[in-house]
């Protein structure tokens, strides 16, 4: 079992270009697994963790409803945003500047073969990170992601999640609002959930800007502890 994970910080990168890159890494891992099974090759499968920040984009998961996007094509263009239907779970979400997006592309055979545990670990990584900033973040029953003030009229989502897994290989991941422009969420019904607000770490802390590099360090620390993994690479 290979618990080493190659960390790559892609910086500011187009959503479609990043999606294509994810797909290439994902398919390479799957191909190795197929070769191992067919030829008893015993080749080591790789794991990756991509950090990225996207230009304004709305993405709709395979189980989502396009009516949850409240902009037409001309309005999208006016907002400088793009739209993609993609192959992850979940409904509609927004990515943009000031948001830390993480895409773990893991062979879960190297860790544990339980997709629900995988999602709970991703949520726990966020919860533990936000606790370091004095915030009590929680899961909301029946809703993937991480929230504040769950069960109150002030419930608000700070991190969205949506993953794809095939042959126990994962792609897509999480989007944590750190210094996000929350106005862009006004143009969707986030994750298809009406009446729930969205927030960002800088808003919760009353700061103009939170150090995103520091947040990434905390995320990686908690991820490595939860998954008992080691990172290497350009993070």
């Amino acid at each position: 079992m290979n618990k080493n994970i190659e960390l790559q910080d892609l910086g500011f990168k187009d959503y479609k270009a990043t999606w294509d890159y994810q797909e290439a890494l994902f398919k390479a891992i799957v191909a190795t697994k197929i070769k191992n099974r067919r030829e008893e090759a015993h080749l080591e499968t790789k794991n990756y963790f991509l950090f990225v920040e996207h230009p304004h984009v709305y993405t709709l998961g395979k189980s989502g409803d396009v009516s949850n996007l409240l902009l037409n094509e001309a309005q999208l263009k006016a907002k400088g945003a793009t739209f993609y239907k993609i192959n992850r779970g979940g409904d509609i979400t927004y990515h943009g500047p000031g948001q830390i997006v993480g895409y773990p592309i893991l062979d879960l055979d190297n860790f544990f073969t339980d997709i629900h545990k995988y999602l709970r670990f991703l949520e726990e990584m966020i919860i533990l990170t936000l606790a370091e900033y004095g915030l009590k973040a929680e899961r909301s029953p029946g809703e993937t992601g991480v929230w504040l003030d769950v069960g109150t009229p002030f419930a608000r989502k700070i991190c969205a999640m949506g993953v794809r897994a095939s042959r126990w290989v994962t792609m897509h991941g999480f989007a944590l609002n750190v210094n996000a422009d929350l106005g862009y969420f006004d143009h969707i019904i986030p994750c298809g959930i009406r009446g729930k607000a969205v927030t960002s770490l800088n808003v919760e802390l009353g700061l103009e800007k939170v150090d995103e590099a520091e947040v990434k360090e905390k995320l990686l620390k908690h991820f490595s502890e939860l998954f008992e993994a080691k990172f290497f690479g350009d993070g």
Side-chain angles (χ1 to χ4, degrees), residues 10-47:
L10 305 181
F12 194 70
K13 191 174 178 69
D14 175 74
Y15 183 84
K16 182 64 166 63
T18 308
W19 184 14
D20 290 344
Y21 183 54
Q22 277 195 81
E23 286 275 9
L25 297 176
F26 175 88
K27 288 175 180 177
I29 297 170
V30 170
T32 300
K33 296 189 77 167
I34 292 172
K35 184 179 179 70
N36 283 342
R37 192 182 76 244
R38 289 180 179 170
E39 303 176 17
E40 296 185 12
H42 305 295
L43 297 172
E44 189 174 78
T45 52
K46 294 182 178 180
N47 307 291

Side-chain angles (χ1 to χ4, degrees), residues 107-180:
D107 178 6
L108 289 181
D109 273 318
N110 289 324
F111 301 93
F112 47 78
T113 50
D114 184 333
I115 196 66
H116 295 289
K117 181 178 179 180
Y118 173 67
L119 282 165
R120 301 298 83 78
F121 271 21
L122 290 185
E123 291 167 347
E124 189 67 15
M125 168 192 64
I126 302 295
I127 289 168
L128 292 169
T129 297
L130 294 176
E132 294 199 51
Y133 290 94
L135 297 178
K136 186 179 185 296
E138 303 172 84
R139 298 172 181 86
S140 182
E143 298 168 336
T144 304
V146 178
W147 303 70
L148 301 174
D149 288 336
V150 172
T152 78
F154 310 105
R156 54 209 182 277
K157 194 169 195 174
I158 194 166
C159 182
M161 291 186 184
V163 303
R164 176 192 174 198
S166 177
R167 297 180 188 268
W168 297 114
V169 181
T170 67
M171 63 179 290
H172 300 297
F174 67 90
L176 175 63
N177 299 330
V178 179
N179 298 301

